[in-house]
Amino acid sequence: MEQRVQEEMNEEMRQWRHKELERLQKLSEVQRKVETAKHHIEEEVICLRCPRCCKVFFDFDGCMSLSCGNCPCCFCGYCMKDCGSDAHRCAASHGEVFMPFLQFQEHHKERRGRYLQEYLGTLEPDVRKMLLKEMQGTLQGIISDHLHARLMQEAC
């Protein structure tokens, strides 16, 4: 029974990969570049990750000295740098060690905005414009409202 389920899952995955490959082959070069850029932004800009094992994290308890639930890494909630076994000193060097959740969110909206702008600067203008149009909804609430409005204006 277990083997049959595994075989069915493998077949479903094979069919999905085949359909995805067909979809990607139908895209123009610019559209493929947009897809690649979109994936990069979703995985590397939007997601907050452990700097050591790259596991995405969601929990925040107010302390800017963060611990990964997947590996023994302690990292700074401000700069997201691996601090070994204790990130309190790094967090304190950026300001307060404790931060309310809403302030944490705002800090990372600004951080994501800086990374996003830096990444967008590496893209060709037509790719950048198409990407911003496609990601309008995704980016809302993830970066500052001011930056979101400016980028969406640029996409028009």
Side-chain angles (χ1 to χ4, degrees):
M1 173 93 164
E2 204 172 293
Q3 184 178 358
R4 187 181 60 112
V5 170
Q6 183 65 41
E7 288 172 3
E8 287 174 5
M9 288 174 59
N10 288 342
E11 179 59 23
E12 285 177 21
M13 182 58 80
R14 189 192 66 72
Q15 288 176 8
W16 176 85
R17 281 193 313 259
H18 180 72
K19 286 180 183 176
E20 183 63 9
L21 184 58
E22 284 180 343
R23 183 186 74 80
L24 291 173
Q25 288 173 338
K26 291 177 185 175
L27 298 176
S28 70
E29 182 181 346
V30 169
Q31 289 169 320
R32 277 193 293 276
K33 288 178 180 180
V34 168
E35 286 289 316
T36 300
K38 189 171 154 183
H39 180 76
H40 175 82
I41 290 168
E42 290 169 345
E43 294 298 318
E44 304 301 326
V45 175
I46 293 175
C47 293
L48 295 176
R49 297 178 178 275
C50 168
R52 191 178 300 172
C53 73
C54 298
K55 176 93 172 167
V56 174
F57 75 92
F58 300 100
D59 296 335
F60 178 71
D61 65 3
C63 181
M64 294 302 280
S65 175
L66 304 173
S67 299
C68 181
N70 191 56
C71 76
C73 181
C74 288
F75 54 99
C76 178
Y78 285 98
C79 65
M80 304 300 291
K81 294 216 165 75
D82 186 337
C83 297
S85 61
D86 185 7
H88 287 92
R89 181 175 293 160
C90 186
S93 75
H94 295 286
E96 298 179 29
V97 175
F98 293 95
M99 179 181 282
F101 181 67
L102 291 176
Q103 191 176 345
F104 176 81
Q105 284 183 313
E106 289 303 314
H107 170 75
H108 284 286
K109 282 182 181 182
E110 294 297 324
R111 186 184 140 279
R112 286 181 189 112
R114 287 190 305 274
Y115 288 153
L116 178 63
Q117 289 180 92
E118 185 179 306
Y119 179 68
L120 290 173
T122 69
L123 301 176
E124 298 164 12
D126 53 343
V127 172
R128 178 181 168 120
K129 189 172 184 173
M130 188 182 290
L131 173 69
L132 288 171
K133 284 180 181 178
E134 282 194 25
M135 295 198 75
Q136 181 175 0
T138 303
L139 294 173
Q140 187 145 21
I142 299 295
I143 58 176
S144 71
D145 292 342
H146 173 74
L147 177 59
H148 184 267
R150 188 170 61 77
L151 291 174
M152 293 312 114
Q153 213 173 24
E154 180 183 319
C156 293

